[in-house]
């Protein structure tokens, strides 16, 4: 087995950004705040430096992130490959998660940069910067942009904040570090409006999201020992409520917050019979990335995901059984 390539230095990344003129920035399918925020943050920094930049995502811009300044630059992949020198994958643990259409659009790129914070990332770029100790890819980009003295326009400033805030549970998760707060303070010094951005991020949900919450609560199950909580979203519920993929973003934290629960699981039926599994752990002894890897998934020690074949009942039984084995191995 080949060893995972070492990270490129920030200086080397700076050479690539300086020496090339055209870039395409891509993030993972079903993008969240860190994915879109990272694209906007680095994208607008490069644009301010006079570079030609395209921002593409397989699934486009989620409705819940349309408030972000500059988000209208996020586009679906064009049918023909883009004439760009450099492709930059952001916040994407495995290259296939960029999506077939996005990969095709970036296929002419001569150099691939891979910047991410998922510990399961195999370093699939020509140059890689993977920091699993960082709570968000947005924080890595803040480090890169400030160390290279790249432009930090308002769009970049706000996008970094949203990226990091959403991936840290609004600065609550254990991954949040002193550097995270120092970064946030610096962004405020640069003119960030905390109240407005937080309100747009967390207090601006469509009514159907509340209906979804009600439907999910009706499926809630708690293990006999109270350590595991799970709920499920059926495809029919998605149709009945006219849900968008982003409507479920962050809802798993509701059951993760139950007193005594150490691991929360969200099972979701997708079109085509696939099952999406999201897991959140509150105990470092329960590494959900290790559980996810058993099923071809990945992520972080305390937050990971899987896409697996259905039906939901079978996928659920397999995942819960694996969770139980890890609980017993941890002596909980």
């Amino acid at each position: 087995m080949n060893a995972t390539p070492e990270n490129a230095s920030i200086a080397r990344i700076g050479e690539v950004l300086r020496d090339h003129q055209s870039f395409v920035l891509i993030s993972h399918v079903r993008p969240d705040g860190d994915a879109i925020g990272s694209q906007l943050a680095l994208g607008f920094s490069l644009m301010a430096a006079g570079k030609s930049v395209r921002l593409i995502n397989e699934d486009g811009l989620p409705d819940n992130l349309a408030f972000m300044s500059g988000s209208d630059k996020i586009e679906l992949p064009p049918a023909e490959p883009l004439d760009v020198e450099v492709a930059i994958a952001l916040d994407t643990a495995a290259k296939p998660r960029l999506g077939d259409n996005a990969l095709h659009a970036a296929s002419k790129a001569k150099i691939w940069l891979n910047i991410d914070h998922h510990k399961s990332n195999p370093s699939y770029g020509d140059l890689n910067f993977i920091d699993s100790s960082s709570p968000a890819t947005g924080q890595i980009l803040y480090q890169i942009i400030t160390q290279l003295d790249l432009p930090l326009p308002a769009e970049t400033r706000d996008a970094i904040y949203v990226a990091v805030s959403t991936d840290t549970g609004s600065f609550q998760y254990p991954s949040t570090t002193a550097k995270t707060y120092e970064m946030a303070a610096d962004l405020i010094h640069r003119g960030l409006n905390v109240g407005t951005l937080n309100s747009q991020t967390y207090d601006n949900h469509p009514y159907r999201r509340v209906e979804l919450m009600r439907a999910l609560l009706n499926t809630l199950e708690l293990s006999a020992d109270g350590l595991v909580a799970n709920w499920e979203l059926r495809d029919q519920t998605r149709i009945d409520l006219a849900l968008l993929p982003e409507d479920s973003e962050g809802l798993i934290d509701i059951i993760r917050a139950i007193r005594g629960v150490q691991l929360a699981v969200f099972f979701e039926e997708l079109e085509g019979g696939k099952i999406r599994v999201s897991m959140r752990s509150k105990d470092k002894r329960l590494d959900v990335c290790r559980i996810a890897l058993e099923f071809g998934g990945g992520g972080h020690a305390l937050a990971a995901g899987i896409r697996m074949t259905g039906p939901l009942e079978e996928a659920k039984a397999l995942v819960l059984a694996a969770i139980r084995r890890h609980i017993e191995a941890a002596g909980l």
Side-chain angles (χ1 to χ4, degrees):
M1 181 179 292
N2 293 329
T4 301
E6 290 187 6
N7 275 347
S9 66
I10 289 180
R12 176 69 182 111
I13 292 172
E15 290 176 7
V16 172
L17 301 182
R18 182 184 66 247
D19 294 345
H20 296 84
Q21 183 60 30
S22 58
F23 300 82
V24 57
L25 276 55
I26 319 170
S27 62
H28 58 76
V29 297
R30 288 189 63 154
D32 55 10
D34 195 21
I36 296 296
S38 293
Q39 285 184 275
L40 294 175
L42 184 56
F44 273 87
S45 180
L46 291 173
M47 289 179 213
K51 306 296 184 178
S52 172
V53 182
R54 297 283 290 271
L55 309 176
I56 65 173
N57 184 277
E58 187 85 3
D59 293 328
L61 175 70
D63 180 66
N64 66 320
L65 296 173
F67 70 87
M68 296 178 70
S69 180
S71 61
D72 58 317
K73 293 285 188 182
I74 302 290
E75 57 182 309
L76 292 168
E80 298 300 322
L82 296 169
D83 188 16
V84 294
E85 299 167 279
V86 181
I88 306 179
L90 298 167
D91 193 45
T92 305
K95 197 170 183 178
R97 288 212 72 218
L98 295 167
D100 291 341
N101 295 324
L103 287 169
H104 178 67
S107 59
K108 284 188 175 181
K110 305 298 188 295
I111 300 175
W112 274 83
L113 297 187
N114 171 20
I115 302 174
D116 187 28
H117 71 129
H118 295 91
K119 74 173 189 174
S120 59
N121 193 306
S123 297
Y124 53 81
D126 298 313
L127 294 175
N128 302 278
F129 195 92
I130 315 300
D131 181 4
S132 61
S133 70
S134 180
T137 301
Q139 184 167 319
I140 297 173
L141 292 175
Y142 170 81
Q143 178 187 0
I144 290 172
I145 289 168
T146 53
Q147 285 194 24
L148 294 175
D149 199 26
L150 291 171
L152 208 157
E155 293 90 349
T156 295
R157 177 198 67 202
D158 291 359
I160 289 172
Y161 181 85
V162 172
V164 177
S165 178
T166 53
D167 242 33
T168 58
S170 191
F171 302 91
Q172 296 181 70
Y173 294 163
S175 58
T176 308
T177 66
K179 288 182 179 179
T180 311
Y181 286 105
E182 290 163 0
M183 177 207 73
D186 181 52
L187 296 176
I188 292 169
H189 284 306
R190 293 174 186 264
L192 181 91
N193 189 321
V194 173
T196 297
L197 273 183
N198 283 339
S199 179
Q200 291 171 325
T201 304
Y202 301 110
D203 301 329
N204 190 33
H205 300 302
Y207 180 69
R208 64 179 181 271
R209 180 177 162 98
V210 180
E211 292 182 305
L212 168 59
M213 197 183 312
R214 176 167 55 191
L216 290 171
L217 286 168
N218 283 328
T219 72
L220 176 62
E221 296 177 343
L222 192 65
S223 63
D225 56 11
L227 294 176
V228 181
N230 76 83
W231 59 16
E232 61 191 52
L233 173 57
R234 298 281 181 170
D235 196 47
Q236 189 59 50
T237 302
R238 184 193 328 280
I239 294 168
D240 292 343
L241 298 181
L243 298 175
L244 298 177
E246 58 266 27
D247 289 334
S248 62
E249 188 69 34
L251 289 181
I252 193 173
D253 289 335
I254 294 171
I255 57 175
R256 176 184 171 276
I258 298 171
R259 183 180 300 159
V261 166
Q262 298 304 310
L263 200 154
V265 196
F266 187 168
F267 296 97
E268 180 180 356
E269 280 186 332
L270 303 176
E271 293 180 10
K274 291 287 186 180
I275 307 299
R276 180 176 185 250
V277 185
S278 301
M279 296 181 288
R280 300 290 184 271
S281 172
K282 289 193 290 192
D283 192 319
K284 291 182 178 179
R285 292 172 293 177
L286 287 178
D287 185 336
V288 289
C289 184
R290 289 179 57 198
I291 299 171
L293 286 170
E294 293 183 20
F295 300 94
H300 310 286
L302 300 182
I306 308 163
R307 287 201 179 204
M308 57 194 299
T309 56
L312 189 146
E313 291 82 2
E314 292 181 11
K316 183 175 175 180
L318 289 170
V319 172
L320 291 178
I323 288 170
R324 183 52 52 185
R325 290 195 302 272
H326 282 261
I327 287 173
E328 292 172 355
L332 297 179

